[in-house]
């Protein structure tokens, strides 16, 4: 194999796309030809630099705002909102207490393990600003509502509680997923906003359930 | 399909923003290198996410969301070229001061910036094939399918791009 035909094969050679026989001939040639060896080294050096390029480049800070301004709302597809049927009877059932109690326990745990910022907020009651403080605020409100709801399950009909239980399960799944995503990408503002929106959703659901219970 | 994708498919803009946050760096890097021009890359990236929002319901989870979005971005870049035509192509990306702006001497990122500038300065056809093959890892057959050129043409463009880059970096 001469220099010209070897040079023609170098791209495929470095890409691992040559049949073994041809690759062997290229190897044999560059072992004895300094010029072709240098050509191969230059090519490999380039590809080493290319592989070190960053896979991600920061966009301008206002990129999302520009995109959001162009997003058309989907009329047919809305965010599913929790639906509570109006209470019908006072029939008692303890079937759905566990989830509420679990929810209260989970929310209390969340408060307990929150960061120093949370503790400071809880102690001083100052205006919450950080994500952690907001998270604690939601946790506290959720605990109160979940405890109220769990204390008087007889206030809601079994049907209402079944709907509430299903909706809580859906929201809790979404919260769990957002929390997991946030654990692996801490401080991601989009994920934080999404998680807070889910907390809000859960809170609203419990508020509505509590109001429905009081009205019945 | 993950719950975040499903929520975005149902029209939740916050879920879509979360997807945006995780993907935008990679998509912007692709658009920047494929176009060789920052302003064009910004426009392309916006178009990609707007298109993704519009077509999100067609995503069925056969591949990862990131793969689906990446392919959509490649098509957006290639489609823009087809629709804008040669006349409207940028004069020369190498003349874009933002792309070519060099760091002060001694800056640690200088070799990488040299390479980025050299890529931006490639002729458009060679640059796109180079980015798709050597940076993004597509095979010649895939590139041929996406761009509508022959596999041999893809190989020839890659060869040309690598030669021009070596020459530019060794100057």
């Amino acid at each position: 194999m001469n220099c010209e035909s070897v040079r023609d094969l170098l791209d495929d050679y470095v890409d691992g796309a040559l049949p073994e026989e041809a690759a062997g001939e290229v190897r044999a040639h560059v072992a004895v030809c300094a010029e072709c060896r240098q050509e191969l080294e230059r090519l490999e050096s380039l590809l080493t630099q290319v592989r070190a390029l960053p896979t991600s480049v920061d966009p301008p800070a206002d990129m999302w705002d520009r995109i959001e301004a162009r997003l058309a709302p989907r009329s047919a597809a809305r965010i599913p909102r929790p639906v509570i049927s109006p209470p019908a009877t006072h029939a008692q059932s303890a079937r759905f207490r566990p989830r509420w109690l679990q929810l209260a326990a989970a929310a209390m745990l969340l408060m307990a393990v929150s960061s120093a910022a949370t503790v400071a907020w809880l102690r001083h009651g100052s205006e919450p600003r950080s994500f952690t403080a907001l998270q604690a605020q939601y946790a506290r409100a959720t605990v109160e509502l979940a405890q109220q709801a769990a204390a008087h399950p007889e206030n809601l009909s079994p049907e209402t509680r079944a709907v509430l239980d299903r909706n809580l399960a859906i929201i809790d799944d979404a919260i769990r997923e957002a929390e997991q995503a946030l654990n692996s990408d801490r401080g991601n503002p989009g994920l934080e906003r999404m998680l807070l929106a889910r907390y809000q959703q859960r809170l609203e659901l419990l508020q509505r359930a509590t109001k429905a219970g009081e009205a019945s | 399909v993950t719950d975040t994708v499903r929520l975005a498919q149902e029209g939740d803009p916050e879920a879509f923003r979360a997807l945006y946050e995780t993907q935008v760096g990679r998509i912007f890097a692709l658009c920047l290198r494929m176009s060789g021009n920052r302003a064009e890359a910004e426009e392309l990236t916006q178009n990609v996410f707007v298109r993704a929002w519009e077509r999100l319901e067609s995503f069925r989870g056969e591949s990862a969301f990131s793969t689906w979005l990446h392919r959509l971005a490649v098509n957006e870049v290639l489609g823009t070229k087809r629709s804008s035509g040669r006349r409207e192509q940028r004069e020369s990306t190498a003349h874009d001061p933002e792309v070519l702006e060099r760091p002060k001497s001694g800056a640690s990122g200088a070799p990488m910036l040299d390479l980025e500038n050299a890529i931006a300065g490639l002729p458009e056809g060679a640059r796109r094939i180079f980015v798709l093959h050597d940076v993004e890892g597509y095979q010649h057959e895939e590139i041929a399918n996406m761009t509508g050129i022959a596999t041999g043409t893809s190989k020839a463009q890659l060869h040309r791009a690598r030669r021009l880059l070596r020459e530019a970096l060794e100057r």
Side-chain angles (χ1 to χ4, degrees):
Chain A
M1 204 178 266
N2 61 27
C3 292
E4 195 183 337
S5 47
V6 165
R7 302 269 172 105
D8 285 345
L9 294 177
L10 283 183
D11 279 310
D12 279 347
Y13 177 75
V14 295
D15 291 338
L18 278 187
E20 184 44 43
E21 189 181 347
E25 287 184 44
V26 170
R27 268 194 300 274
H29 181 88
V30 297
V32 296
C33 175
E35 277 188 32
C36 287
R37 187 164 59 248
Q38 193 185 14
E39 189 70 12
L40 175 62
E41 285 167 358
R42 290 169 68 212
L43 186 53
E44 285 174 334
S45 164
L46 170 70
L47 295 182
T48 301
Q49 287 184 65
V50 171
R51 280 191 281 270
L53 285 173
T55 54
S56 178
V57 176
D58 286 341
D62 65 344
M63 176 72 85
W64 171 255
D65 293 338
R66 287 190 260 164
I67 291 168
E68 193 178 28
R70 292 174 58 192
L71 299 185
R74 294 221 187 92
S75 55
R78 293 280 177 216
I79 308 166
R81 306 301 298 182
V83 178
I84 300 286
S85 311
T89 71
H90 290 263
Q92 190 166 358
S93 165
R95 254 181 74 207
F96 303 102
R97 290 183 72 169
R99 170 167 285 282
W100 293 4
L101 293 172
Q102 281 166 19
L103 179 65
M108 280 192 279
L109 182 66
L110 178 64
M111 283 207 319
V113 300
S114 291
S115 72
T118 311
V119 174
W121 175 75
L122 288 172
R123 278 192 190 144
H124 304 298
S126 58
E127 186 64 27
R129 286 192 184 85
S130 72
F131 168 74
T132 320
L134 286 167
Q135 195 176 31
Q137 192 176 15
Y138 276 115
R140 188 163 75 168
T142 305
V143 167
E144 286 169 5
L145 282 170
Q147 282 174 335
Q148 273 182 41
H152 301 287
E154 68 280 4
N155 284 353
L156 292 179
S157 71
E159 294 78 14
T160 306
R161 266 176 277 148
V163 174
L164 176 61
D165 196 54
R166 273 201 306 277
N167 285 327
L168 277 176
I170 292 167
I171 296 172
D172 284 350
D173 283 347
I175 285 175
R176 208 163 20 251
E177 199 207 339
E179 285 173 342
Q180 280 167 359
L182 198 56
N183 270 341
S184 54
D185 188 8
R186 289 195 181 280
N188 181 320
L191 289 171
E192 285 183 353
R193 266 191 300 278
M194 192 170 75
L195 189 53
L196 291 175
R198 298 289 155 265
Y199 288 147
Q200 177 66 31
Q201 216 173 8
R202 183 165 66 182
L203 196 61
E204 284 171 9
L205 177 59
L206 284 166
Q207 280 168 340
R208 288 157 71 179
T210 310
K211 277 184 190 156
E214 285 166 1
S216 65
Chain B
V1 177
T2 65
D3 280 359
T4 309
V5 172
R6 186 176 49 73
L7 285 168
Q9 285 177 320
E10 287 168 355
D12 184 343
E14 287 302 323
F16 186 65
R17 180 166 187 171
L19 294 173
Y20 162 86
E21 300 281 358
T22 59
Q23 302 295 329
V24 66
R26 188 163 173 245
I27 297 299
F28 187 56
L30 169 76
C31 292
L32 194 56
R33 291 183 183 129
M34 288 281 276
S35 69
N37 178 292
R38 195 169 179 90
E40 194 173 329
E42 289 178 15
E43 197 179 318
L44 284 166
T45 304
Q46 289 176 56
N47 292 345
V48 168
F49 282 96
V50 171
R51 199 84 69 212
W53 172 254
E54 290 166 355
R55 298 187 185 169
L56 205 51
E57 283 167 82
S58 70
F59 174 67
R60 291 282 169 265
E62 284 107 357
S63 60
F65 175 75
S66 56
T67 308
W68 178 82
L69 186 69
H70 194 269
R71 184 55 74 95
L72 195 145
V74 170
N75 288 339
E76 182 68 27
V77 175
L78 296 173
T80 300
K81 180 200 174 193
R82 277 195 293 272
S83 59
S84 63
R86 292 186 66 83
R87 251 182 337 115
E88 290 182 37
Q89 284 172 25
R90 307 281 161 167
E91 303 279 308
S92 166
T93 53
H95 296 148
D96 184 334
E98 281 192 70
V99 170
L100 279 185
E101 193 178 346
R102 285 168 187 272
K104 304 269 185 290
S105 59
S108 58
M112 281 301 133
L113 194 64
D114 283 346
L115 178 55
E116 296 279 21
N117 283 323
I119 294 170
L122 288 172
E124 186 175 72
R127 184 178 64 245
R128 291 183 175 202
I129 302 301
F130 173 81
V131 171
L132 288 174
H133 189 278
D134 280 358
V135 182
E136 302 295 335
Y138 287 99
Q139 301 296 309
H140 284 297
E141 291 73 18
E142 294 174 290
I143 294 170
N145 279 335
M146 289 189 288
T147 58
I149 62 172
T151 306
T153 310
S154 177
K155 285 189 171 193
Q157 289 280 32
L158 180 67
H159 179 74
R160 183 178 175 221
R162 286 172 170 178
R163 179 175 55 76
L164 290 170
L165 285 177
R166 289 202 306 270
E167 289 170 6
L169 294 172
E170 289 161 11
R171 266 206 294 270

